Amino acid sequence: MTKISERQKLVDEWLVFAKENLLFAKDGMKAEYSPYHTICFLCQGSAEKYLKAYLISRDWELEKIHDLKQLIGYALRYDQSFG
């Protein structure tokens, strides 16, 4: 497998994880009892995973961080529209 296809596979995996988080968060909003703390946690996780997928697609070295502000800072290095 080439480095590009390995990177694309990793990007695709992060996109699936992000979508799963968002789908569960949306589902939770429909429930009779909405666990808002869990919904917020899933939304933050989804945003984090989407940002990581973008960054990995730009050949960023994956870091074990959860700080959205820091991830957006990294994304700004590649695309100013994240500002």
Side-chain angles (χ1 to χ4, degrees), residues 1-2 6 8-9 22 30 34 51-53 65 73 81 83:
M1 192 180 291
T2 67
E6 288 177 24
Q8 187 57 54
K9 183 177 184 279
L22 196 54
K30 298 174 189 172
S34 294
L51 282 166
K52 286 181 178 178
I65 59 172
S81 69

Side-chain angles (χ1 to χ4, degrees), residues 16-72:
V16 167
F17 297 150
K19 185 176 183 178
E20 286 175 357
N21 281 178
L22 196 54
L23 287 173
F24 276 99
K26 286 180 179 181
D27 242 15
M29 293 295 291
K30 298 174 189 172
E32 187 174 318
Y33 165 75
S34 294
Y36 293 110
H37 62 284
T38 302
I39 291 166
C40 291
F41 178 80
L42 290 168
C43 288
Q44 188 276 341
S46 180
E48 174 188 329
K49 290 168 181 79
Y50 276 120
L51 282 166
K52 286 181 178 178
Y54 170 77
L55 290 167
I56 292 166
S57 76
R58 297 294 182 253
D59 216 19
W60 175 74
E61 185 76 27
L62 182 61
E63 292 182 28
K64 190 174 184 175
I65 59 172
H66 305 287
D67 186 329
L68 290 178
K69 188 174 179 179
Q70 188 175 0
L71 289 167
I72 290 172

